Amino acid sequence: MKAQELLLASELTSGFPKIRTILADRFAGTKIMIVPTAAYGEGWKPDYESHYRPFEEMGFEVIDYDLVGKTPDEVKAALNTVSAVYMSGGNTFYLLHHMRKSGFFDHVRVRISEGLVYIGSSAGSIVATPEISYADALDDRSKAEETNDIGLNLVNFSILPHMDHPSFSALVQKTYKAFEGNGTMCLGLNDDQVIHVVGGSFKVI
């Protein structure tokens, strides 16, 4: 079992320079799975220039992989071909539902323990936490068919993205304050910040 490595961003475009610095050229010539499912849940599609091309410029071969309609066997086989996975932002509840339904939820945890690098942005970062109910403040829960809020539990804290976003900041700041005194650690991220997790330790950069 290898030490897990996670890069949990608030917003990919603003955080990518830091992600590029951390990953450098370690994975040139390998494949990355880009999962746009959360974005589709909000009715938008990650654009090539900001979500796909930056990874290609790092030397990754990009595989676009929506989880909707995939079987656990298909997901397992696809994950076994890549060295990293990037989970886009969008609707957190919709994403988590399809992670479970497709088998991705279980298979990605195994691959992370084997050395797969997990990269998340916004919803993609929130699903890495122990539970996601606090995403109610940002996302429409009704877009998911199920209401199981248990996350991947890859970290032992909550993550609130977009602390300085012009549209979301006020709502996010209010949610962040609700964590004070409830015994749960919550890391609020500005859009240019990234949490780098290696094994059991992390730092915000």
Side-chain angles (χ1 to χ4, degrees):
M1 180 180 293
K2 296 184 179 181
Q4 67 173 5
E5 183 171 11
L6 319 172
L7 293 163
L8 306 174
S10 173
E11 196 273 324
L12 180 70
T13 305
S14 300
F16 199 83
K18 294 175 180 177
I19 292 173
R20 184 193 300 273
T21 298
I22 293 168
L23 295 182
D25 59 356
R26 283 190 285 150
F27 298 97
T30 68
K31 297 178 181 179
I32 184 170
M33 175 189 288
I34 293 184
V35 179
T37 305
Y40 292 168
E42 289 287 3
W44 60 277
K45 176 178 174 61
D47 67 273
Y48 170 74
E49 287 297 324
S50 62
H51 287 78
Y52 295 81
R53 184 174 179 178
F55 288 112
E56 291 177 344
E57 291 176 343
M58 288 181 61
F60 280 111
E61 177 185 341
V62 170
I63 297 173
D64 188 65
Y65 202 85
D66 182 15
L67 299 178
V68 177
K70 299 296 193 301
T71 68
D73 286 345
E74 289 172 337
V75 168
K76 182 179 181 180
L79 282 171
N80 283 338
T81 69
V82 301
S83 58
V85 61
Y86 164 64
M87 312 292 285
S88 82
N91 188 285
T92 312
F93 300 103
Y94 182 86
L95 173 60
L96 188 57
H97 167 68
H98 285 289
M99 286 169 61
R100 285 202 174 85
K101 189 173 182 180
S102 66
F104 182 91
F105 187 94
D106 294 318
H107 289 314
V108 77
R109 289 172 58 86
V110 173
R111 288 290 290 119
I112 290 168
S113 73
E114 296 171 345
L116 178 83
V117 174
Y118 180 100
I119 305 166
S121 175
S122 193
S125 295
I126 294 173
V127 294
T129 67
E131 70 93 34
I132 69 163
S133 61
Y134 62 94
D136 270 326
L138 300 172
D139 297 336
D140 180 359
R141 178 185 290 272
S142 70
K143 293 186 178 182
E145 296 173 29
E146 66 172 45
T147 57
N148 187 339
D149 290 341
I150 302 302
L152 288 168
N153 199 31
L154 300 174
V155 295
N156 62 356
F157 48 81
S158 299
I159 298 170
L160 264 177
H162 311 309
M163 292 289 285
D164 63 344
H165 192 283
S167 299
F168 303 130
S169 179
L171 191 57
V172 173
Q173 295 280 356
K174 181 179 179 181
T175 304
Y176 183 76
K177 289 180 180 178
F179 275 93
E180 295 179 358
N182 74 357
T184 301
M185 180 169 68
C186 180
L187 298 183
L189 296 180
N190 291 334
D191 278 348
D192 66 344
Q193 290 183 303
V194 177
I195 303 169
H196 186 204
V197 180
V198 178
S201 63
F202 71 90
K203 59 181 177 180
V204 180
I205 57 175

